[in-house]
Amino acid sequence: MGVKERLEQGIIRVPGGTILVAKLADLMAWARKSSMWSLTFGLSCCAIEMMATAASRYDLDRFGMFFRATPRQADVMIVAGWVSVKMAPFIKRLYEQMPEPKYVIAMGGCASAGGPYRDSITIVKGVDQFVPVDVYVYGCPPRPENLILGILKLQERIREEHRAEKNGLPRPVREPIIIPETGATG
Amino acid sequence: MSVPVSSPTPSTLSTVEILSQGMVINVGPQHPSTHGVLRLILTLDGEQIVACEPVIGYLHRGLEKMMERRPYRHNIPFTDRLDYLAALSNNLAICQCTERLGGVEVPERAQYIRVLLMELQRIASHLVFLGTFGTDLGATTMFLYAFREREMVLDLLEECTGARLTYNWVRVGGVPDDLPEGFGQKVQDFVKIFRQRIGEYDMLLTRNRIFRSRTQGIGVLPKETALAYGCSGPVARASGIAYDIRKVAPYEVYDRVEFDVPVLESGDVWARYLVRMEELRQSLRIIEQVLQDMPEGPCRPNCPRYSSLQLVSLTRVWKARVAS
Amino acid sequence: MNQAVENLLQRFGEAITEWTQFSPNELRLTVAASSWQEIAQYLRDEPLWRMDYPADLTVWDTGNEFGVYLRLWSSVYNHNAIVLTSISREQPHIASLTAIYPGVDWHEREMYDMYGVIFEGHPNLKRILLPDDWEGFPFRKDYVAEPSGNPLHGPQPVN
């Protein structure tokens, strides 16, 4: 198979060297998928689990995830915790400040649907009321493994979106990905 | 805008006045480096912060309103999420209130188990402090070390309670279940390892010159100010207030274990750090004693499950006592 | 503590409607709202009391009136005191203690936020936890917790 045919399938590595040959679009998608930088943005309990995911044992760096301190450099926003009416406008603003393409992970019950604060007077019942959510990770709070699963699913989605783009198909409809609760919660 | 040349004279357009206005900077609430969601409106004069107005309430849930409508025992899960770094301590607080209202006796073994878990929880909570504090001061490695040990504590707590962060493990009148088999041995192993690890932290931070110069003499809180503002916990003890609720009004079996309360006088960031480090060591001491003295016996609640009706009536009795 | 209690009762007389001593170092006082500030000042400055630590200040709603609760601790004698008073729901006014205990500043703001109690003399009495444009005082028993009363402001639903 010649280089040209192989190029159709994506990225190839030239044997014996550190050279990659790829179409620019492929390369972009590959980079986009494997270096999702996340916005450092913790709200409550889930933020502690998010920190634990980034720390020694779970080591989020393995997936190219890296916490950035500004929305201008972030690709994915992990909403980790409950969102109050007072906080919601700031989250919306942060989302708007992020460059395209951007993704949102709603981590935990509160960010997904209000969680235990379903009947609270000040808590917004789900962050999807004002920003589009790609992945819902259930749990109260979710275990780090579940968050990682959510991130991997999101990476798959980014690849699929790119494939469709390459083949001239319309962009797939963004159905929300739901990561169910497994085992004991975090 | 045209300014008349003749007036005002340079003396009325004083440059001093312009400089003294300072500069207002907004920090948060979405600022990435804030722990918890807090907004600060700072007024700066050059590099110096001359005024600061904190704005809080970005995480307010109106929990009191929600708790009003539920039976007492249904509120225990909510307390997990008050201070999520020390969920068990909050569980204990609400259970103790209910026990006091209902006059419930707690089995002795349950009291020991509670103290054991509380101290493990204190270690986990202080480790988050250590990690994030180090990160903020530029010692990013500390974050990884502290969370490594925190995972060990979380493993222990998970084995006992079944959850990593929100345990919901204390019940009115006891604890839901006995410790798992071999738990004591695992805790002892952990204590042994963790003693050494505290030495590592000392090497990394306490003896670190840069760390010391960034904390010593910074943010001094004098004793009078700390008292007048009602500071508590390590903040108060670092400012010379010898107030620890475990000593002042001992609960559970804290009056049967030996431990010291670290109190420092200087009231700066360094002192607050040292107090917490010493508390880690004291927690280990308490854990060892508790494991040694823990009696056999029942630990589950030995009281009727209070429905809301019963406890409302008990509260009424209590209220009547308040009113009489 | 006995001598101190005697002096206190003598000094304020009828302003203290009742008092109970739970234990050698725990005292509960119910006082008239009019002498709220005066008693707090006395407890802080009197050499036999020296209540220099404001531990808590809160309000509760009985449906007929608001109760106000202040808990103090003395770092000198290790004494605890609980001071209670009640104010009417229609005219919820009480003197602010911020000049005596700076630490109750936020507590008083919170109680204003949640119950609408006006602390007279507070330097900065405005909402602290809820957004500034919130309608009503949510912790009152007659508050209607309908989301339509205080909808989500700013961004509207995307779909």
Side-chain angles (χ1 to χ4, degrees):
Chain A
M1 197 161 52
V3 171
K4 195 170 173 238
E5 286 79 37
R6 280 163 65 191
L7 256 181
E8 291 299 316
Q9 293 172 357
I11 301 162
I12 54 166
R13 169 172 283 170
V14 176
T18 50
I19 302 168
L20 298 173
V21 179
K23 283 183 181 169
L24 193 59
D26 280 335
L27 206 60
M28 292 265 288
W30 174 69
R32 192 173 284 164
K33 168 184 89 61
S34 37
S35 69
M36 284 201 298
W37 285 3
S38 159
L39 184 61
T40 317
F41 182 53
L43 285 170
S44 50
C45 335
C46 291
I48 308 299
E49 283 301 73
M50 194 169 77
M51 274 156 64
T53 319
S56 334
R57 182 182 288 179
Y58 296 96
D59 192 11
L60 215 47
D61 281 8
R62 290 178 295 163
F63 307 104
M65 285 282 272
F66 194 73
F67 286 101
R68 295 305 295 172
T70 158
R72 308 285 184 207
Q73 299 170 358
D75 307 302
V76 55
M77 180 161 88
I78 302 178
V79 184
W82 56 80
V83 178
S84 73
V85 170
K86 199 170 175 180
M87 192 65 206
F90 293 99
I91 294 178
K92 177 80 176 170
R93 187 197 291 168
L94 278 181
Y95 179 75
E96 282 164 355
Q97 283 175 343
M98 283 163 58
E100 290 276 358
K102 51 194 172 185
Y103 304 91
V104 178
I105 298 178
M107 181 182 180
C110 301
S112 302
Y117 305 107
R118 196 64 200 157
D119 59 343
S120 160
I121 48 170
T122 53
I123 299 300
V124 177
K125 313 298 180 279
V127 73
D128 51 3
Q129 287 186 36
F130 55 92
V131 290
V133 176
D134 294 283
V135 184
Y136 297 88
V137 185
Y138 287 0
C140 190
R143 299 180 65 86
E145 293 92 332
N146 276 22
L147 179 63
I148 291 174
L149 182 60
I151 289 163
L152 293 178
K153 291 273 183 198
L154 186 60
Q155 290 186 343
E156 254 170 50
R157 152 160 305 177
I158 294 172
R159 204 175 338 164
E160 270 168 32
E161 269 180 9
H162 161 70
R163 252 184 221 141
E165 212 172 285
K166 193 172 75 175
N167 299 332
L169 298 170
R171 235 176 152 181
V173 185
R174 277 196 185 182
E175 285 287 329
I177 302 167
I178 292 170
I179 309 294
E181 206 172 324
T182 49
T185 59
Chain B
M1 195 178 70
S2 66
V3 181
V5 181
S6 57
S7 70
T9 55
S11 60
T12 53
L13 247 178
S14 128
T15 48
V16 177
E17 199 185 323
I18 293 166
L19 279 175
S20 67
Q21 280 178 357
M23 180 178 170
V24 178
I25 285 189
N26 178 52
V27 180
Q30 84 277 29
H31 192 274
S33 68
T34 49
H35 302 297
V37 186
L38 166 76
R39 181 178 168 208
L40 299 170
I41 302 168
L42 304 174
T43 312
L44 306 184
D45 181 12
E47 290 277 296
Q48 289 271 329
I49 298 170
V50 290
C52 166
E53 194 198 339
V55 183
I56 59 170
Y58 291 99
L59 292 180
H60 181 68
R61 292 154 287 176
L63 206 55
E64 296 92 330
K65 195 77 183 169
M66 293 166 69
M67 283 183 164
E68 266 178 17
R69 280 173 279 178
R70 288 172 164 80
Y72 285 74
R73 61 197 158 84
H74 289 191
N75 287 330
I76 300 174
F78 286 131
T79 57
D80 277 322
R81 290 154 182 84
L82 286 177
D83 173 6
Y84 27 81
L85 295 176
L88 280 167
S89 319
N90 295 292
N91 288 169
L92 184 65
I94 195 167
C95 288
Q96 280 181 338
C97 285
T98 320
E99 280 156 12
R100 236 173 144 173
L101 273 177
V104 178
E105 286 281 317
V106 182
E108 204 183 0
R109 185 173 171 83
Q111 295 193 17
Y112 274 95
I113 292 176
R114 282 178 178 189
V115 171
L116 173 65
L117 295 180
M118 279 331 119
E119 292 306 317
L120 283 173
Q121 182 77 88
R122 187 185 311 277
I123 291 174
S125 172
H126 278 16
L127 281 174
V128 174
F129 154 77
L130 257 179
T132 51
F133 184 55
T135 315
D136 289 351
L137 287 181
T140 321
T141 328
M142 199 55 224
F143 178 73
L144 300 173
Y145 281 103
F147 269 68
R148 180 185 63 185
E149 271 74 74
R150 184 171 176 269
E151 289 291 339
M152 293 166 74
V153 186
L154 292 194
D155 279 350
L156 288 172
L157 289 173
E158 188 182 355
E159 188 181 339
C160 180
T161 67
R164 274 172 56 86
L165 199 66
T166 47
Y167 308 103
N168 188 17
W169 189 249
V170 186
R171 293 286 183 279
V172 178
V175 287
D177 211 345
D178 209 337
L179 296 174
E181 223 166 285
F183 189 73
Q185 187 55 45
K186 281 179 189 166
V187 174
Q188 267 163 0
D189 293 346
F190 165 74
V191 169
K192 222 174 278 167
I193 297 170
F194 192 64
R195 262 230 175 90
Q196 294 171 357
R197 297 282 161 89
I198 295 179
E200 284 182 25
Y201 305 157
D202 274 340
M203 224 135 64
L204 206 64
L205 292 182
T206 320
R207 290 183 218 147
N208 183 331
R209 221 157 162 201
I210 303 170
F211 179 79
R212 285 170 89 130
S213 66
R214 282 179 185 176
T215 50
Q216 282 175 340
I218 308 284
V220 178
L221 187 67
K223 187 179 177 183
E224 294 72 40
T225 319
L227 274 173
Y229 279 88
C231 296
S232 58
V235 177
R237 292 193 279 279
S239 293
I241 304 168
Y243 185 79
D244 189 323
I245 196 78
R246 294 174 295 174
K247 287 278 188 201
V248 174
Y251 51 91
E252 307 302 343
V253 289
Y254 276 115
D255 48 353
R256 292 186 222 169
V257 290
E258 263 181 43
F259 63 99
D260 300 324
V261 177
V263 178
L264 294 175
E265 298 297 328
S266 60
D268 52 0
V269 178
W270 172 247
R272 292 194 273 277
Y273 161 77
L274 285 184
V275 164
R276 287 191 175 94
M277 287 298 273
E278 187 54 36
E279 281 185 8
L280 284 177
R281 294 196 185 89
Q282 297 301 329
S283 286
L284 293 183
R285 254 180 92 187
I286 297 173
I287 288 171
E288 280 180 333
Q289 292 175 50
V290 166
L291 282 177
Q292 209 172 12
D293 302 345
M294 192 180 287
E296 291 298 318
C299 60
R300 292 188 191 175
N302 187 23
C303 62
R305 276 193 161 191
Y306 284 108
S307 72
S308 57
L309 261 181
Q310 279 169 315
L311 257 179
V312 163
S313 64
L314 281 166
T315 321
R316 290 244 169 85
V317 172
W318 182 75
K319 265 186 186 164
R321 233 185 283 156
V322 172
S324 66
Chain C
M1 200 176 189
N2 294 340
Q3 184 59 42
V5 173
E6 232 165 74
N7 287 358
L8 178 78
L9 293 176
Q10 213 164 18
R11 166 81 171 71
F12 286 98
E14 287 181 0
I16 296 171
T17 48
E18 63 160 285
W19 63 280
T20 321
Q21 195 168 348
F22 294 114
S23 64
N25 64 350
E26 269 187 330
L27 181 80
R28 190 184 59 215
L29 301 166
T30 309
V31 305
S34 52
S35 49
W36 178 248
Q37 198 173 20
E38 217 179 325
I39 286 176
Q41 181 89 48
Y42 178 86
L43 288 177
R44 192 195 65 171
D45 294 339
E46 177 65 24
L48 279 177
W49 284 100
R50 298 290 296 282
M51 292 282 176
D52 45 7
Y53 183 90
D56 197 7
L57 183 141
T58 189
V59 169
W60 73 92
D61 184 3
T62 62
N64 306 316
E65 57 183 16
F66 289 131
V68 188
Y69 163 103
L70 172 71
R71 193 156 65 80
L72 300 170
W73 177 67
S74 163
S75 69
V76 183
Y77 302 112
N78 190 17
H79 288 167
N80 286 298
I82 294 170
V83 191
L84 304 168
T85 189
S86 54
I87 50 180
S88 80
R89 283 182 107 243
E90 287 71 37
Q91 293 283 326
H93 290 261
I94 193 163
S96 166
L97 301 182
T98 39
I100 304 163
Y101 299 110
V104 300
D105 182 332
W106 280 15
H107 294 76
E108 290 185 349
R109 274 177 71 187
E110 187 189 352
M111 289 307 124
Y112 164 72
D113 200 353
M114 297 301 161
Y115 292 95
V117 175
I118 310 286
F119 290 89
E120 280 162 359
H122 191 286
N124 186 22
L125 197 65
K126 59 180 187 190
R127 288 202 184 271
I128 181 168
L129 293 175
L130 296 171
D132 290 335
D133 52 357
W134 191 270
E135 299 273 337
F137 300 106
F139 286 1
R140 289 189 179 189
K141 294 281 183 206
D142 52 5
Y143 179 78
V144 183
E146 282 293 315
S148 57
N150 288 289
L152 178 59
H153 290 285
Q156 292 301 309
V158 172
N159 301 321

